[in-house]
PDB file of all heavy atoms in Angstrom:
ATOM      1  N   GLU A  71     187.566 -18.200   5.261  1.00 83.00           N
ATOM      2  CA  GLU A  71     186.510 -18.566   4.261  1.00 83.00           C
ATOM      3  C   GLU A  71     186.087 -17.276   3.541  1.00 83.00           C
ATOM      4  O   GLU A  71     186.000 -16.299   4.075  1.00 83.00           O
ATOM      5  CB  GLU A  71     185.315 -19.156   5.095  1.00 83.00           C
ATOM      6  CG  GLU A  71     184.344 -19.835   4.268  1.00 83.00           C
ATOM      7  CD  GLU A  71     183.841 -21.200   4.869  1.00 83.00           C
ATOM      8  OE1 GLU A  71     183.615 -21.082   6.095  1.00 83.00           O
ATOM      9  OE2 GLU A  71     183.926 -22.112   4.244  1.00 83.00           O
ATOM     10  N   SER A  72     185.578 -17.616   2.450  1.00 80.00           N
ATOM     11  CA  SER A  72     185.069 -16.510   1.525  1.00 80.00           C
ATOM     12  C   SER A  72     183.774 -15.926   2.170  1.00 80.00           C
ATOM     13  O   SER A  72     183.030 -16.590   2.708  1.00 80.00           O
ATOM     14  CB  SER A  72     184.675 -17.088   0.122  1.00 80.00           C
ATOM     15  OG  SER A  72     183.733 -16.261  -0.472  1.00 80.00           O
ATOM     16  N   GLY A  73     183.899 -14.677   2.374  1.00 83.00           N
ATOM     17  CA  GLY A  73     182.710 -13.979   2.970  1.00 83.00           C
ATOM     18  C   GLY A  73     182.851 -13.738   4.448  1.00 83.00           C
ATOM     19  O   GLY A  73     181.901 -13.279   5.112  1.00 83.00           O
ATOM     20  N   CYS A  74     183.963 -14.118   4.960  1.00 88.00           N
ATOM     21  CA  CYS A  74     184.114 -14.119   6.456  1.00 88.00           C
ATOM     22  C   CYS A  74     184.551 -12.686   6.758  1.00 88.00           C
ATOM     23  O   CYS A  74     184.679 -12.395   8.075  1.00 88.00           O
ATOM     24  CB  CYS A  74     185.247 -15.110   6.950  1.00 88.00           C
ATOM     25  SG  CYS A  74     186.905 -14.553   6.533  1.00 88.00           S
ATOM     26  N   GLY A  75     184.832 -11.842   5.887  1.00 91.00           N
ATOM     27  CA  GLY A  75     184.922 -10.362   6.291  1.00 91.00           C
ATOM     28  C   GLY A  75     186.374  -9.916   6.107  1.00 91.00           C
ATOM     29  O   GLY A  75     186.708  -8.749   6.585  1.00 91.00           O
ATOM     30  N   LYS A  76     187.252 -10.485   5.343  1.00 92.00           N
ATOM     31  CA  LYS A  76     188.677 -10.190   5.084  1.00 92.00           C
ATOM     32  C   LYS A  76     188.583  -8.811   4.326  1.00 92.00           C
ATOM     33  O   LYS A  76     189.339  -7.851   4.788  1.00 92.00           O
ATOM     34  CB  LYS A  76     189.225 -11.155   4.322  1.00 92.00           C
ATOM     35  CG  LYS A  76     189.293 -12.574   4.947  1.00 92.00           C
ATOM     36  CD  LYS A  76     190.199 -13.619   4.240  1.00 92.00           C
ATOM     37  CE  LYS A  76     189.594 -13.941   2.844  1.00 92.00           C
ATOM     38  NZ  LYS A  76     188.286 -14.524   2.837  1.00 92.00           N
ATOM     39  N   SER A  77     187.850  -8.745   3.247  1.00 90.00           N
ATOM     40  CA  SER A  77     188.109  -7.526   2.449  1.00 90.00           C
ATOM     41  C   SER A  77     187.530  -6.340   3.190  1.00 90.00           C
ATOM     42  O   SER A  77     188.049  -5.208   3.172  1.00 90.00           O
ATOM     43  CB  SER A  77     187.311  -7.704   1.058  1.00 90.00           C
ATOM     44  OG  SER A  77     187.960  -8.602   0.378  1.00 90.00           O
ATOM     45  N   THR A  78     186.337  -6.578   3.895  1.00 93.00           N
ATOM     46  CA  THR A  78     185.755  -5.527   4.761  1.00 93.00           C
ATOM     47  C   THR A  78     186.671  -4.947   5.726  1.00 93.00           C
ATOM     48  O   THR A  78     186.901  -3.774   5.933  1.00 93.00           O
ATOM     49  CB  THR A  78     184.435  -6.130   5.402  1.00 93.00           C
ATOM     50  OG1 THR A  78     183.653  -6.587   4.400  1.00 93.00           O
ATOM     51  CG2 THR A  78     183.743  -4.950   6.060  1.00 93.00           C
ATOM     52  N   GLN A 151     191.235  -6.656  -4.342  1.00 69.00           N
ATOM     53  CA  GLN A 151     191.053  -8.011  -4.961  1.00 69.00           C
ATOM     54  C   GLN A 151     190.644  -7.863  -6.452  1.00 69.00           C
ATOM     55  O   GLN A 151     190.993  -8.507  -7.336  1.00 69.00           O
ATOM     56  CB  GLN A 151     189.975  -8.511  -4.062  1.00 69.00           C
ATOM     57  CG  GLN A 151     189.400  -9.930  -4.451  1.00 69.00           C
ATOM     58  CD  GLN A 151     188.478 -10.355  -3.500  1.00 69.00           C
ATOM     59  OE1 GLN A 151     188.049  -9.712  -2.464  1.00 69.00           O
ATOM     60  NE2 GLN A 151     188.245 -11.663  -3.476  1.00 69.00           N
ATOM     61  N   ASP A 152     189.646  -6.983  -6.648  1.00 68.00           N
ATOM     62  CA  ASP A 152     189.012  -6.782  -7.906  1.00 68.00           C
ATOM     63  C   ASP A 152     189.632  -5.572  -8.785  1.00 68.00           C
ATOM     64  O   ASP A 152     189.312  -4.542  -8.600  1.00 68.00           O
ATOM     65  CB  ASP A 152     187.537  -6.616  -7.775  1.00 68.00           C
ATOM     66  CG  ASP A 152     186.739  -6.747  -9.083  1.00 68.00           C
ATOM     67  OD1 ASP A 152     187.321  -6.694 -10.072  1.00 68.00           O
ATOM     68  OD2 ASP A 152     185.518  -6.924  -8.910  1.00 68.00           O
ATOM     69  N   ASP A 231     194.923  -7.055  -0.822  1.00 91.00           N
ATOM     70  CA  ASP A 231     193.712  -7.870  -0.784  1.00 91.00           C
ATOM     71  C   ASP A 231     193.871  -8.853  -1.938  1.00 91.00           C
ATOM     72  O   ASP A 231     193.534  -8.443  -3.081  1.00 91.00           O
ATOM     73  CB  ASP A 231     192.481  -7.032  -0.926  1.00 91.00           C
ATOM     74  CG  ASP A 231     191.201  -7.887  -0.560  1.00 91.00           C
ATOM     75  OD1 ASP A 231     191.387  -9.150  -0.420  1.00 91.00           O
ATOM     76  OD2 ASP A 231     190.104  -7.441  -0.463  1.00 91.00           O
ATOM     77  N   GLU A 232     194.223 -10.054  -1.761  1.00 88.00           N
ATOM     78  CA  GLU A 232     194.327 -11.041  -2.803  1.00 88.00           C
ATOM     79  C   GLU A 232     195.123 -10.527  -3.970  1.00 88.00           C
ATOM     80  O   GLU A 232     194.763 -10.544  -5.119  1.00 88.00           O
ATOM     81  CB  GLU A 232     193.078 -11.488  -3.282  1.00 88.00           C
ATOM     82  CG  GLU A 232     192.039 -11.718  -2.259  1.00 88.00           C
ATOM     83  CD  GLU A 232     191.500 -13.127  -2.131  1.00 88.00           C
ATOM     84  OE1 GLU A 232     192.231 -14.000  -2.740  1.00 88.00           O
ATOM     85  OE2 GLU A 232     190.625 -13.397  -1.395  1.00 88.00           O
ATOM     86  N   ILE A 263     196.078 -10.269   2.581  1.00 95.00           N
ATOM     87  CA  ILE A 263     194.818 -11.028   2.647  1.00 95.00           C
ATOM     88  C   ILE A 263     194.858 -12.030   1.473  1.00 95.00           C
ATOM     89  O   ILE A 263     195.106 -11.588   0.364  1.00 95.00           O
ATOM     90  CB  ILE A 263     193.550 -10.051   2.314  1.00 95.00           C
ATOM     91  CG1 ILE A 263     193.651  -9.078   3.545  1.00 95.00           C
ATOM     92  CG2 ILE A 263     192.329 -10.854   2.433  1.00 95.00           C
ATOM     93  CD1 ILE A 263     192.637  -7.964   3.323  1.00 95.00           C
ATOM     94  N   HIS A 265     193.651 -16.401   0.137  1.00 85.00           N
ATOM     95  CA  HIS A 265     193.156 -17.681   0.658  1.00 85.00           C
ATOM     96  C   HIS A 265     194.012 -18.735   0.027  1.00 85.00           C
ATOM     97  O   HIS A 265     193.809 -19.908   0.284  1.00 85.00           O
ATOM     98  CB  HIS A 265     191.771 -17.899   0.067  1.00 85.00           C
ATOM     99  CG  HIS A 265     191.633 -17.765  -1.338  1.00 85.00           C
ATOM    100  ND1 HIS A 265     191.193 -16.639  -1.964  1.00 85.00           N
ATOM    101  CD2 HIS A 265     192.128 -18.543  -2.306  1.00 85.00           C
ATOM    102  CE1 HIS A 265     191.355 -16.645  -3.342  1.00 85.00           C
ATOM    103  NE2 HIS A 265     191.875 -17.972  -3.474  1.00 85.00           N
TER     104      HIS A 265
ATOM    105  N   LEU B 258     177.916  -8.187  -2.054  1.00 83.00           N
ATOM    106  CA  LEU B 258     178.486  -9.521  -1.729  1.00 83.00           C
ATOM    107  C   LEU B 258     179.976  -9.516  -1.729  1.00 83.00           C
ATOM    108  O   LEU B 258     180.564  -8.670  -2.319  1.00 83.00           O
ATOM    109  CB  LEU B 258     178.024 -10.418  -3.019  1.00 83.00           C
ATOM    110  CG  LEU B 258     176.733 -11.231  -2.788  1.00 83.00           C
ATOM    111  CD1 LEU B 258     175.647 -10.392  -2.405  1.00 83.00           C
ATOM    112  CD2 LEU B 258     176.395 -11.829  -4.047  1.00 83.00           C
ATOM    113  N   SER B 259     180.505 -10.484  -1.142  1.00 78.00           N
ATOM    114  CA  SER B 259     182.017 -10.600  -1.178  1.00 78.00           C
ATOM    115  C   SER B 259     182.411 -11.198  -2.456  1.00 78.00           C
ATOM    116  O   SER B 259     181.531 -11.682  -3.169  1.00 78.00           O
ATOM    117  CB  SER B 259     182.511 -11.518   0.056  1.00 78.00           C
ATOM    118  OG  SER B 259     182.312 -12.872  -0.328  1.00 78.00           O
ATOM    119  N   GLY B 260     183.699 -10.987  -2.809  1.00 74.00           N
ATOM    120  CA  GLY B 260     184.190 -11.564  -4.134  1.00 74.00           C
ATOM    121  C   GLY B 260     183.782 -12.960  -4.344  1.00 74.00           C
ATOM    122  O   GLY B 260     183.304 -13.295  -5.347  1.00 74.00           O
ATOM    123  N   GLY B 261     184.041 -13.765  -3.327  1.00 76.00           N
ATOM    124  CA  GLY B 261     183.837 -15.138  -3.385  1.00 76.00           C
ATOM    125  C   GLY B 261     182.271 -15.513  -3.554  1.00 76.00           C
ATOM    126  O   GLY B 261     181.866 -16.412  -4.255  1.00 76.00           O
ATOM    127  N   MET B 262     181.476 -14.692  -2.901  1.00 81.00           N
ATOM    128  CA  MET B 262     180.073 -14.944  -3.133  1.00 81.00           C
ATOM    129  C   MET B 262     179.610 -14.652  -4.577  1.00 81.00           C
ATOM    130  O   MET B 262     178.794 -15.379  -5.181  1.00 81.00           O
ATOM    131  CB  MET B 262     179.216 -14.135  -2.043  1.00 81.00           C
ATOM    132  CG  MET B 262     179.315 -14.753  -0.720  1.00 81.00           C
ATOM    133  SD  MET B 262     179.068 -13.564   0.706  1.00 81.00           S
ATOM    134  CE  MET B 262     177.426 -13.384   0.631  1.00 81.00           C
ATOM    135  N   ARG B 263     180.138 -13.518  -5.076  1.00 84.00           N
ATOM    136  CA  ARG B 263     179.751 -13.192  -6.386  1.00 84.00           C
ATOM    137  C   ARG B 263     180.100 -14.359  -7.313  1.00 84.00           C
ATOM    138  O   ARG B 263     179.489 -14.774  -8.265  1.00 84.00           O
ATOM    139  CB  ARG B 263     180.552 -11.922  -6.864  1.00 84.00           C
ATOM    140  CG  ARG B 263     179.905 -10.669  -6.347  1.00 84.00           C
ATOM    141  CD  ARG B 263     180.336  -9.550  -7.165  1.00 84.00           C
ATOM    142  NE  ARG B 263     181.772  -9.175  -6.775  1.00 84.00           N
ATOM    143  CZ  ARG B 263     182.159  -8.144  -5.999  1.00 84.00           C
ATOM    144  NH1 ARG B 263     181.178  -7.458  -5.470  1.00 84.00           N
ATOM    145  NH2 ARG B 263     183.378  -7.928  -5.753  1.00 84.00           N
ATOM    146  N   ALA B 287     188.761 -16.776  -6.311  1.00 70.00           N
ATOM    147  CA  ALA B 287     188.352 -15.849  -5.225  1.00 70.00           C
ATOM    148  C   ALA B 287     187.807 -16.713  -4.001  1.00 70.00           C
ATOM    149  O   ALA B 287     187.282 -16.169  -3.056  1.00 70.00           O
ATOM    150  CB  ALA B 287     187.303 -14.822  -5.543  1.00 70.00           C
TER     151      ALA B 287
HETATM  152 MG1   MG C 530     187.348 -10.382  -0.305  1.00 86.81          MG
END
Side-chain angles (χ1 to χ4, degrees):
Chain A
E71 189 140 49
S72 158
C74 72
K76 304 181 297 295
S77 297
T78 305
Q151 181 172 8
D152 192 341
D231 191 356
E232 318 245 10
I263 302 174
H265 54 259
Chain B
L258 269 48
S259 79
M262 284 155 78
R263 283 199 288 260

